[in-house]
């Protein structure tokens, strides 16, 4: 059975201009990621892994080249349409969890569903149960352990049912035991639910769990 | 969005409370000062209107504030004006000012007989009307504020008088004495400051015709229809509009600056959070609306607290200064509330715009 391409980068480059210098964080990368794939992006610090991830997730726009999400070219989309596409298609998991500190776990997921126009009280409970936090739904992030916070972050990424999960060092702030639990959860979601999973990581063991590993160096994919 | 806005406001309770208080102070300043201005002016004019006359005749060029001029009109004009068609009665009045407990009050010198003919007269509550030129009457509010009682000896304009009666407040001046007594005190025998005219009919045309006739016959006199007196009095106060405009501007600027500063610092503090919202799919307009909503909630609370503070301040001022009148109209309450919220919305616009244009990745990296 042919699988659909959910993300495609065509000769994508991103140059930053901090001060008077130019930094080519990503240089002419082309790649395709199919539905249900589990891809790891590895490489040394500063090689452009996170930048590539954010380009694929349309959180930043490329300096040149183009990104296609679910068959929709993003280069000419207005901010509102691009945000809508990201909201519909992409779920982000960050190293620092990035939960809204004043809101409970339930409300953090609630914001994501409301932004998508979903009335999803049951879905919120279901995903918090899925990540094992059914008894901590009404706790704020500071009342949860770091592992639990990352679980809330994963549940938030999943609750709107996106086709792709982009995870930037999702275990970077966790101890090895908690990391293992989080990765088991993510790979389970990939295998059993068919979610496309792209993970940026330093960790070779975590990278090795993916079906495909992209090695980056100096803004380019080396293999 | 509302739950997010409320949770953000709860995060910095002291800052939110200060914002609410600052907006409330602007509202209080506006309502109390405007209420005081309009209260004093409208109460003055209302007391003149309630006398019951239809026209006030003063020397041309006089101030509409009674009491700023003593007598330079011969009382004999009364008989001449009474001959005009449509005039039912004329009452000469002498006005002057005196100080009671360090507050200036207007004194009326009244001819009781003609004063009763032009309107309802002084409505006696205690004591009796004067029977000689050494007696005065005061109104209930002055009596209550000063503790004056019937039979008390008082000194007005350096001359002793006995209080013979207390009349209902809200008509004429707070102190009334026989016309000859005030003429004698001011050394202006047979003179009056003004005349109150009662027309045969209250019909606007009749009153206007009489006023025009007086103005035509006696160019040195200025007749003012009582119905238009309040407006004329207000127009007589230089820079009143500018004064009220300044208060309005102050209230608006306070709201604007406080909200601008509070939300600007909030945006800096919540940069990462804004990045999170953008990453999970919030549009720029969502970010803007959520910041403006915070401001509207703050300002709405400020407005409500402002209404409460205005009410309490008004009570306190009236308790401390019972002779003052503060009138806060529904219109001004609505205007004050609107200004408080408008200032907040304007103050929120720049921080909201700035927040909405934050680069999500830069925002997520912000520490």
């Amino acid at each position: 059975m042919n699988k659909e391409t959910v993300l495609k980068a065509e000769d994508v480059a991103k140059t930053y201009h901090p001060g008077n210098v130019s930094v080519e964080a990503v240089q002419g990368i082309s790649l395709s990621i199919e539905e249900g794939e589990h891809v790891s992006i590895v490489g040394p610090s500063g090689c452009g892994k996170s930048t590539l991830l954010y380009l694929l997730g349309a959180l930043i726009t490329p300096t040149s080249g183009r990104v296609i999400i679910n068959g929709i070219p993003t280069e000419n989309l207005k901010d509102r349409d691009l945000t809508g596409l990201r909201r519909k298609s992409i779920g982000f998991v960050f190293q620092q969890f990035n939960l809204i500190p004043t809101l409970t776990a339930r409300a953090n997921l609630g914001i994501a569903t409301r932004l998508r126009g979903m009335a999803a009280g049951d879905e919120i409970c279901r995903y918090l149960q899925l990540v094992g936090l059914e008894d901590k739904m009404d706790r704020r992030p500071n009342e949860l352990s770091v592992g639990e916070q990352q679980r809330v972050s994963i549940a938030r990424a999943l609750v709107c049912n996106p086709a792709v999960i982009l995870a930037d060092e999702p275990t970077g702030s966790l101890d090895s035991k908690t990391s293992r639990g989080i990765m088991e959860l993510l790979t389970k979601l990939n295998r059993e639910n068919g979610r496309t999973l792209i993970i940026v990581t330093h960790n070779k063991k975590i990278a090795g769990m993916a079906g495909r590993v992209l090695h980056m160096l100096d803004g380019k994919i080396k293999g | 969005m509302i739950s997010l806005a409320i949770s953000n406001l709860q995060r910095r309770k002291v800052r939110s409370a200060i914002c609410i208080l600052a907006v409330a102070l602007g509202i209080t300043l506006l309502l109390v000062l405007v209420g005081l201005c309009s209260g004093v002016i409208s109460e003055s004019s209302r007391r003149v209107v309630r006398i019951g006359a239809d026209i006030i005749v003063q020397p041309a060029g006089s101030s509409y504030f009674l009491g700023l001029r003593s007598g330079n009109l011969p009382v004999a004009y009364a008989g001449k004006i009474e001959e005009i068609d449509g005039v039912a009665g004329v009452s000469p009045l002498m006005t002057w000012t005196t100080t009671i407990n360090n507050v200036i009050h207007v004194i009326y010198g009244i001819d009781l007989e003609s004063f009763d003919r032009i309107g309802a007269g002084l409505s006696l509550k205690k004591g009796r009307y004067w029977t000689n030129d050494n007696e005065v009457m005061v109104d209930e509010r002055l009596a209550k504020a000063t503790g004056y009682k019937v039979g008390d000896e008082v000194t007005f304009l350096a001359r002793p008088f006995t209080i013979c009666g207390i009349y209902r407040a809200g008509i004429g001046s707070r102190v009334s004495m026989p016309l000859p007594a005030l003429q004698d005190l001011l050394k202006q025998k047979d003179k009056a400051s003004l005349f109150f005219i009662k027309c045969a009919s209250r019909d606007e045309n009749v009153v206007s015709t009489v006023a025009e006739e007086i103005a035509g016959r006696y160019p040195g006199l200025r007749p003012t229809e009582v119905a238009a007196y309040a407006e004329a009095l207000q127009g007589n106060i230089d820079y009143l509009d500018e004064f009220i405009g300044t208060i309005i501007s102050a209230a608006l600027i306070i709201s604007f600056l406080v909200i601008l500063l509070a939300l600007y610092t909030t945006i800096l503090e919540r940069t990462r959070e804004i990045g999170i919202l953008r990453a999970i799919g919030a549009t720029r307009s969502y970010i803007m609306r959520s910041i403006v909503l915070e401001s509207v909630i703050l300002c709405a609370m400020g407005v409500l607290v402002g209404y409460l503070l205005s009410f309490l301040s008004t009570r306190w001022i009236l308790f401390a200064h019972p002779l003052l009148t503060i009138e806060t109209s529904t219109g001004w309450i609505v205007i004050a509330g609107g200004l408080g919220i408008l200032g907040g919305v304007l103050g929120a616009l720049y921080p909201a715009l700035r927040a909405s244009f934050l680069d999500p990745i830069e925002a997520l990296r912000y520490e």
Side-chain angles (χ1 to χ4, degrees):
Chain A
M1 192 174 75
N2 282 339
K3 287 190 174 178
E4 285 189 15
T5 300
V6 287
L7 285 179
K8 192 171 185 185
E10 293 179 354
D11 199 22
V12 165
K14 180 70 181 177
T15 305
Y16 289 111
H17 301 279
N20 293 325
V21 295
S22 290
V23 177
E24 295 181 336
V26 169
Q27 301 176 39
I29 288 179
S30 296
L31 63 90
S32 288
I33 293 169
E34 290 178 348
E35 187 185 356
E37 256 197 291
H38 178 178
V39 178
S40 287
I41 304 172
V42 295
S45 291
C47 71
K49 306 184 292 292
S50 293
T51 302
L52 177 60
L53 192 79
Y54 296 144
L55 283 166
L56 292 172
L59 258 184
I60 50 176
T61 50
T63 310
S64 62
R66 69 174 184 168
V67 173
I68 299 167
I69 300 174
N70 277 338
I72 301 170
T74 59
E75 68 272 21
N76 293 323
L77 291 181
K78 288 180 181 168
D79 176 73
R80 191 177 54 187
D81 299 325
L82 193 61
T83 304
L85 180 63
R86 186 167 65 232
R87 199 159 55 201
K88 190 175 153 193
S89 312
I90 312 283
F92 284 97
V93 178
F94 300 96
Q95 181 179 356
Q96 295 299 328
F97 328 130
N98 286 337
L99 300 172
I100 309 272
T102 51
L103 300 180
T104 62
R106 189 197 299 267
N108 264 282
L109 269 66
I111 283 225
T113 55
R114 276 198 297 278
L115 283 171
R116 193 158 172 203
M118 294 164 62
D122 293 343
E123 287 293 282
I124 289 170
C125 293
R126 191 165 80 81
Y127 278 100
L128 284 171
Q129 278 172 2
L130 184 72
V131 297
L133 290 174
E134 61 272 23
D135 55 342
K136 294 178 179 175
M137 291 184 189
D138 294 315
R139 292 195 186 178
R140 290 194 169 81
N142 63 356
E143 297 165 334
L144 297 168
S145 70
V146 286
E148 288 167 340
Q149 288 182 52
Q150 191 59 298
R151 284 170 186 272
V152 176
S153 158
I154 291 168
R156 183 182 61 188
L158 294 171
V159 72
C160 293
N161 203 22
V164 184
I165 303 283
L166 301 182
D168 187 9
E169 303 272 12
T171 60
S173 300
L174 309 176
D175 59 55
S176 58
K177 186 183 167 196
T178 314
S179 297
R180 203 163 44 246
I182 292 294
M183 281 314 299
E184 279 168 7
L185 177 63
L186 287 171
T187 47
K188 184 180 163 195
L189 288 166
N190 170 249
R191 283 182 191 150
E192 294 180 8
N193 297 28
R195 310 271 182 157
T196 307
L197 180 62
I198 304 171
I199 294 180
V200 163
T201 183
H202 276 103
N203 188 314
K204 285 180 183 169
K205 202 169 172 183
I206 287 172
M209 295 165 85
R212 178 157 55 128
V213 181
L214 303 174
H215 294 271
M216 279 192 74
L217 188 66
D218 298 333
K220 294 176 181 166
I221 292 177
K222 295 294 180 187
Chain B
M1 194 187 283
I2 287 179
S3 61
L4 180 65
I6 291 173
S7 72
N8 283 331
L9 294 175
Q10 285 175 335
R11 189 193 306 188
R12 296 285 184 194
K13 290 190 179 73
V14 173
R15 184 169 57 198
S16 298
I18 290 171
C19 284
I20 289 168
L21 195 61
V23 174
L25 286 176
I27 300 293
T28 308
L29 179 78
L30 177 64
L31 286 179
V32 172
L33 289 182
V34 171
L36 204 52
C37 277
S38 55
V40 168
I41 293 166
S42 62
E43 202 244 348
S44 296
S45 59
R46 207 163 41 231
R47 280 197 276 138
V48 170
V49 170
R50 281 181 185 162
I51 287 171
D54 298 314
I55 298 170
I56 302 171
V57 175
Q58 294 172 275
S62 298
S63 165
Y64 288 100
F65 277 99
L66 308 185
L68 295 183
R69 192 163 190 161
S70 60
N72 58 358
L73 291 176
V75 172
Y77 267 122
K80 292 176 184 172
I81 293 171
E82 218 152 13
E83 289 168 7
I84 294 173
D85 268 356
V87 173
V90 179
S91 182
L93 195 94
M94 179 77 92
T95 61
W96 195 233
T97 54
T98 190
T99 304
I100 305 170
N101 293 348
N102 297 320
V103 179
I104 291 177
H105 291 280
V106 176
I107 292 182
Y108 279 8
I110 292 173
D111 169 44
L112 271 181
E113 192 191 336
S114 63
F115 195 73
D116 280 350
R117 274 209 312 275
I118 55 129
L122 299 178
S123 174
L124 198 63
K125 302 298 280 188
K126 281 180 189 167
R128 57 171 174 76
Y129 294 102
W130 56 72
T131 54
N132 61 66
D133 290 353
N134 297 317
E135 292 178 331
V136 294
M137 294 170 74
V138 296
D139 81 351
E140 284 174 303
R141 275 183 77 176
L142 182 64
K144 191 177 172 190
T146 56
Y148 288 159
K149 296 184 296 294
V150 173
D152 281 358
E153 294 287 324
V154 290
T155 300
F156 291 136
L157 303 171
R159 181 179 151 181
F161 288 93
T162 303
I163 296 174
C164 63
I166 294 171
Y167 54 91
R168 185 163 69 87
I171 295 179
S173 64
R174 301 215 184 280
V175 180
S176 297
M177 64 174 62
L179 177 62
L182 191 55
Q183 286 171 332
D184 183 50
L185 269 172
L186 300 174
K187 310 287 183 230
Q188 291 174 331
K189 193 169 166 29
D190 296 329
K191 298 280 184 175
S193 308
L194 56 95
F195 297 99
F196 281 118
I197 314 289
K198 184 76 180 171
C199 295
S201 161
R202 302 215 89 155
D203 183 89
E204 274 180 34
N205 292 331
V206 173
V207 175
S208 297
T209 307
V210 169
E212 282 165 19
E213 185 64 25
I214 294 169
R217 282 197 198 182
Y218 308 106
L221 301 183
R222 184 193 60 204
T224 305
E225 292 177 35
V226 170
Y229 178 73
E231 202 177 318
L233 184 65
Q234 194 156 327
N236 222 198
I237 305 172
D238 284 344
Y239 308 119
L240 181 65
D241 290 343
E242 287 81 353
F243 175 67
I244 290 176
T246 305
I247 299 169
I248 289 173
S249 306
L252 190 65
I253 289 168
I254 289 171
S255 287
F256 173 80
L257 288 179
V258 166
I259 295 296
L260 177 67
L261 185 65
L263 290 184
Y264 187 77
T265 54
T266 296
I267 299 312
L268 289 179
E269 195 176 85
R270 297 214 314 262
T271 297
R272 173 184 272 270
E273 198 178 300
I274 290 159
I276 298 168
L277 287 170
R278 294 281 285 139
I280 64 173
T283 56
R284 284 182 178 143
S285 78
Y286 179 93
I287 301 288
M288 273 201 80
R289 279 183 285 127
S290 71
I291 304 281
V292 172
L293 179 65
E294 267 182 51
S295 163
V296 169
I297 293 172
L298 270 180
C299 291
M301 291 171 76
V303 167
L304 292 178
V305 174
Y307 288 160
L308 180 67
L309 282 182
S310 304
F311 175 77
L312 295 175
S313 309
T314 301
R315 296 283 112 192
W316 181 80
I317 290 169
L318 292 179
F319 174 75
H321 306 280
L323 294 176
L324 285 177
T325 300
I326 302 178
E327 282 184 4
T328 311
S329 67
T330 311
W332 275 110
I333 290 173
V334 173
I335 288 170
L339 284 171
I341 290 176
L342 176 68
V345 170
L346 292 176
L349 282 181
Y350 173 68
L353 202 63
R354 191 182 149 96
S356 71
F357 277 91
L358 280 174
D359 180 282
I361 297 303
E362 289 299 314
L364 286 170
R365 285 180 183 148
Y366 188 84
E367 294 294 342

